[in-house]
Every structure is written in structure tokens, then in C-alpha cells.
């Protein structure tokens, strides 16, 4: 008897316990898996789905019915993707190229950032007349084979684990923010590249060995500056080239906004009453 | 229901004409077409968005992400000046076809 009275309640719960937000998130994932759709396409299709859901809800359907109907209307992700690719195959490759270039830049910056961890030792050595034992030991450890590579490998594993667990949302949202305009992307990444590469070179050059000896200090100072400048220019050229390449690949919307201002102004008064 | 070929051919003048009335977004355009045709023309999303993107690439329309009053962002499309010119040319061609058929069917042609 007890079992018989519990069962209908459980069935009721599974029927009404439909999670609309989770279902939309799952649909979004399916869409992300389609190679032919860019970030912008997916955003646009999602707003379409949301509009469909909002309209269907007014008809008095429950969330589950609303979702399945809206999903059916928008279309199967794979078919959508095929239609989009057919229209402009080059655009998909442009986006792929963008991600490849971004990954390369990320890899270069990350490597530089790992090596730049050595720069504090150098800067401390510079300000101190004599280096304490422990600092010298740490410094030697850093420069021993696999000293700095160790950090590189550990962070690589950490990053892989994060990706595997799907914790990429913050990274993706920060990219969405940066990719909204070329100027924003350039003004954020160029200083980052310059600073990280400069720190990396300070960490790599055997700075303290010159600097600790007061006799050679002045003599070697100019040599250090020359070494530094040469290495800096050499190391910064590749990430900077990538930065400009990525900026070029980012779709720029400024032109179309101007066109909108031009043509949209006359009709804005009327259309503003239509939107809701 | 209108045949597939005709739906595809008429998508460009329809989109341009709807945008000539004011900026709009994908969902609204599909609703509008359904309403205009009395449900006879049913556009799918997989068809409309590629058309919108092609027209944008050709410089006939422009797009912009904008926040609606509800707080949701939508991608709005608007007619560009080049699109207005193309629309006029399309209009001529469609009306020519229309009038030819009208004459054959002994219906009253419209003035171009």
C-alpha cells in the first residue's frame, strides 16, 4: 500500500521537475559542438530560441512542451550548422584560424609567464649587496635543468584538468569581452605581451652575476642593456605579430553600426513602439 | 504552401523590404513573413540566418547587438544605403514578372 501511494507522487515530480534553464544550457552545448557555427551565430540562435520560448509560454504550455517545440522550430543543431557553412565556408575557416592563433599566442605568453617567475630572484639580487644562502639555492634550482620547465609542466597539467572539467567559462567570457572590438583587444594584449616578455628576459639573462660585482657594475651595465634590448626585440616580435594577426581576424562591427545610424535614424521612432 | 524554389528566390526582396520599414531581428522577421503571407510562407531559421549573413557580407544590410527593454540582447539588422538601391532594382524585376503573369491571366497589372 505504501509503495502504491508513493509512486504517483514520484511520477508527478519527474513531469513537473523539468529544468528549462538546464535544457537550454544542454542545447547550447550541442550547438557549440557544431564546427560550422561561430560564437556570434550561436548567440544569435540562442536569442531566437529564447524568443520562441517566451512566445510559446503565453500559449499556456508547460516548460517541457515549450522547450521541445521551440527547439524543433529553431532546428536540429547539425542541420543548422550545415546551412550556415553552405552560405559562407570561408567565415568558418576564419574563425578556426582565429582560435588557432589565439591558442598559439596563449601558449607563447604562458611559456613566457612561467619563465618570468625567475625575474623576482634577479630583481632581489640586484637590490642586495650579498645574496643570502637560501635565495642563492633557490636561484640555482631555478636555473638547473628542469627547474623552470617544472613549473611549465605543472601549470600545463593544471590547465588540462580545468579544460577537462569544463571550467572554461571565465576564460570564454573574458574573450567575449575582448573580442568586441579590435581596439579593445589591442589595448589589452599589447601591454600584457610587453610586460610578460620583459619579465621573462629579466628572468633569463644572468643579470646578478654582473651586478653583484661592484667593479664590473658600470662596465657591464651597458652590455646588459644591449643584451636585454636585443633579446626583448627578438622575443616580442612573434607574440606581437600574432596579436595583430588576431586583431585582423576579429570581425569588426564599426562600419555596420555607422550604416545603422544612417538608415535607422529615420525609422527609429516608429520601430521603438513595435519592440518589446 | 509556396514551393521551395520560390521561397528561396523571394527571400532577398522580402528581407530587404521588411528592413526598409525599420530595423528588426531574425525572430521578428520570420513572424512578420508568416503574418504577411497568412501562414503560406514558412521560413526556417536555418534558411533565414544564412540569408541575413550573406546580405550583410554583401553590404546590403548592417547588424548590431542591442539590448531590448526586457534586458535581453538581440542582433538587429537594418537596411544600408546600398541595400536600398538593390531593393529598388529587385522591385522592378518582381513587378515585371508579376505584370506579365497578370496580363496572361487577364488580371489588372500594377504600375511600376
Amino acid at each position: 500500500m505504501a509503495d502504491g501511494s508513493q509512486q504517483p507522487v514520484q511520477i508527478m515530480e519527474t513531469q513537473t521537475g523539468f529544468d528549462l534553464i538546464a535544457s537550454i544550457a544542454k542545447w547550447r552545448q550541442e550547438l557549440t559542438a557544431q564546427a560550422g557555427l561561430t560564437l556570434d551565430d550561436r548567440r544569435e540562435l540562442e536569442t531566437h530560441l529564447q524568443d520562441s520560448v517566451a512566445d510559446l509560454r503565453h500559449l499556456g504550455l508547460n516548460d517541457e512542451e515549450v522547450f521541445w517545440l521551440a527547439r524543433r522550430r529553431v532546428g536540429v543543431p547539425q542541420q543548422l550548422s550545415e546551412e550556415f557553412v553552405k552560405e559562407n565556408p570561408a567565415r568558418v575557416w576564419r574563425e578556426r584560424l582565429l582560435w588557432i592563433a589565439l591558442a598559439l599566442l596563449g601558449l607563447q605568453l604562458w611559456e613566457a609567464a612561467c619563465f618570468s617567475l625567475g625575474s623576482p630572484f634577479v630583481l632581489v639580487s640586484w637590490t642586495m649587496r650579498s645574496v643570502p644562502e637560501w635565495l642563492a639555492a633557490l636561484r640555482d634550482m631555478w636555473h638547473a635543468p628542469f627547474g623552470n620547465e617544472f613549473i611549465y609542466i605543472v601549470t600545463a597539467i593544471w590547465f588540462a584538468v580545468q579544460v577537462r572539467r569544463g571550467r572554461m567559462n571565465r576564460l570564454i567570457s573574458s574573450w567575449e569581452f575582448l573580442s568586441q572590438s579590435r581596439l579593445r583587444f589591442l589595448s589589452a594584449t599589447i601591454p600584457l605581451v610587453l610586460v610578460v616578455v620583459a619579465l621573462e628576459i629579466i628572468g633569463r639573462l644572468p643579470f646578478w652575476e654582473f651586478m653583484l660585482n661592484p667593479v664590473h657594475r658600470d662596465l657591464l651595465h651597458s652590455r646588459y642593456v644591449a643584451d636585454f634590448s636585443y633579446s626583448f626585440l627578438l622575443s616580442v616580435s612573434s607574440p606581437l605579430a600574432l596579436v595583430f594577426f588576431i586583431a585582423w581576424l576579429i570581425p569588426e562591427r564599426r562600419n555596420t553600426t555607422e550604416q545603422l545610424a544612417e538608415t535607422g535614424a529615420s525609422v527609429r521612432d516608429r520601430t521603438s513602439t513595435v519592440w518589446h | 504552401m509556396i514551393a521551395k524554389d520560390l521561397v528561396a528566390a523571394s527571400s532577398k526582396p522580402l528581407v530587404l523590404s521588411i528592413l526598409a520599414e525599420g530595423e528588426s531581428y531574425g525572430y521578428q522577421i520570420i513572424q512578420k513573413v508568416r503574418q504577411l503571407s497568412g501562414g503560406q510562407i514558412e521560413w526556417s531559421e536555418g534558411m533565414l540566418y544564412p540569408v541575413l549573413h550573406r546580405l550583410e557580407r554583401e553590404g546590403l544590410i548592417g547588424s548590431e547587438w542591442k539590448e531590448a527593454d526586457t534586458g535581453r540582447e538581440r542582433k538587429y539588422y537594418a537596411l544600408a544605403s546600398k541595400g536600398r538601391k538593390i531593393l529598388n532594382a529587385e522591385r522592378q524585376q518582381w513587378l515585371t514578372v508579376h505584370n506579365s503573369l497578370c496580363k496572361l491571366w487577364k488580371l489588372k497589372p500594377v504600375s511600376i
Side-chain angles (χ1 to χ4, degrees):
Chain A
M1 274 302 279
D3 287 347
S5 60
Q6 270 178 351
Q7 226 169 2
V9 179
Q10 280 178 345
I11 292 167
M12 282 280 284
E13 272 178 359
T14 50
Q15 276 178 350
T16 53
F18 178 77
D19 190 344
L20 183 65
I21 294 168
S23 301
I24 291 177
K26 198 168 166 255
W27 177 84
R28 192 187 300 131
Q29 273 183 353
E30 270 178 62
L31 217 56
T32 311
Q34 299 305 322
L37 300 172
T38 65
L39 202 67
D40 203 61
D41 296 338
R42 298 201 298 266
R43 237 176 112 195
E44 192 170 25
L45 287 170
E46 193 179 333
T47 60
H48 194 105
L49 184 83
Q50 301 266 15
D51 279 330
S52 267
V53 165
D55 267 5
L56 289 169
R57 268 185 158 170
H58 287 303
L59 298 177
L61 301 176
N62 73 33
D63 278 359
E64 194 167 2
E65 291 163 338
V66 161
F67 175 73
W68 286 111
L69 207 54
R71 186 180 188 274
R72 226 187 108 80
R73 279 196 186 170
V74 174
V76 182
Q78 203 189 333
Q79 281 174 2
L80 276 175
S81 155
E82 281 167 10
E83 294 291 329
F84 277 67
V85 173
K86 234 188 280 169
E87 192 276 305
N88 188 1
R91 194 187 51 147
V92 179
W93 276 104
R94 198 182 165 101
E95 172 145 316
R96 279 180 198 163
L97 213 57
L98 179 74
W99 286 107
I100 292 169
L102 264 177
L104 275 177
L105 178 69
L107 207 67
Q108 285 188 358
L109 278 183
W110 168 34
E111 195 181 352
C114 289
F115 283 111
S116 76
L117 290 173
S119 61
F121 303 138
V122 183
L123 294 173
V124 168
S125 308
W126 189 15
T127 49
M128 283 191 209
R129 286 283 151 153
S130 64
V131 180
E133 286 280 314
W134 63 270
L135 188 64
L138 212 60
R139 193 189 67 197
D140 292 343
M141 232 168 77
W142 178 258
H143 279 268
F146 291 108
N148 39 24
E149 282 87 351
F150 176 71
I151 293 187
Y152 188 61
I153 292 163
V154 167
T155 48
I157 293 170
W158 176 82
F159 185 71
V161 168
Q162 296 300 314
V163 173
R164 191 97 187 102
R165 286 185 180 171
R167 290 186 189 156
M168 292 279 287
N169 288 348
R170 274 180 68 183
L171 204 68
I172 289 172
S173 58
S174 64
W175 163 247
E176 275 177 20
F177 174 77
L178 284 180
S179 66
Q180 273 167 18
S181 86
R182 284 177 183 165
L183 194 68
R184 188 183 284 173
F185 175 76
L186 287 175
S187 54
T189 44
I190 290 176
L192 184 76
V193 166
L194 295 181
V195 169
V196 170
V197 170
L199 284 176
E200 183 206 357
I201 290 162
I202 292 173
R204 275 189 190 194
L205 289 180
F207 186 73
W208 54 87
E209 278 160 26
F210 304 145
M211 284 305 155
L212 280 180
N213 192 336
V215 181
H216 292 144
R217 203 166 185 146
D218 290 334
L219 185 72
L220 290 163
H221 182 68
S222 55
R223 206 195 121 189
Y224 180 79
V225 169
D227 272 3
F228 178 84
S229 313
Y230 174 71
S231 305
F232 184 74
L233 285 178
L234 210 66
S235 309
V236 94
S237 56
S238 157
L240 273 189
L242 270 176
V243 163
F244 283 108
F245 182 56
I246 292 166
W248 175 71
L249 286 173
I250 290 176
E252 186 60 278
R253 306 216 163 278
R254 204 147 24 120
N255 294 341
T256 54
T257 317
E258 277 163 16
Q259 285 171 347
L260 278 180
E262 180 193 314
T263 57
S266 57
V267 290
R268 189 146 295 157
D269 297 349
R270 205 165 46 76
T271 49
S272 60
T273 55
V274 178
W275 298 345
H276 31 259
Chain B
M1 277 300 209
I2 307 290
K4 226 175 169 183
D5 292 354
L6 202 52
V7 170
S10 59
S11 62
K12 187 177 174 183
L14 273 171
V15 166
L16 292 179
S17 305
I18 288 170
L19 294 181
E21 294 194 331
E23 37 187 343
S24 186
Y25 52 94
Y27 187 76
Q28 208 179 36
I29 294 173
I30 287 180
Q31 301 279 42
K32 179 90 178 162
V33 168
R34 189 180 296 145
Q35 184 203 328
L36 283 168
S37 66
Q40 290 289 302
I41 304 177
E42 193 72 36
W43 281 1
S44 73
E45 289 71 7
M47 186 218 104
L48 173 67
Y49 287 108
V51 169
L52 283 170
H53 297 164
R54 195 190 70 224
L55 294 176
E56 186 180 8
R57 204 154 40 91
E58 289 168 358
L60 307 187
I61 61 177
S63 77
E64 191 183 21
W65 280 95
K66 267 200 261 183
E67 206 171 300
D69 294 341
T70 50
R72 265 219 305 276
E73 275 202 321
R74 290 199 185 101
K75 197 175 179 187
Y76 282 95
Y77 294 89
L79 199 64
S81 42
K82 189 178 166 193
R84 205 171 285 278
K85 277 179 216 135
I86 298 286
L87 174 60
N88 282 333
E90 285 266 332
R91 194 184 130 91
Q92 298 280 327
Q93 292 175 30
W94 277 91
L95 287 179
T96 306
V97 173
H98 174 89
N99 282 343
S100 311
L101 288 171
C102 278
K103 278 172 198 161
L104 284 167
W105 295 332
K106 314 278 186 282
L107 294 166
K108 206 181 159 206
V110 295
S111 56
I112 300 178

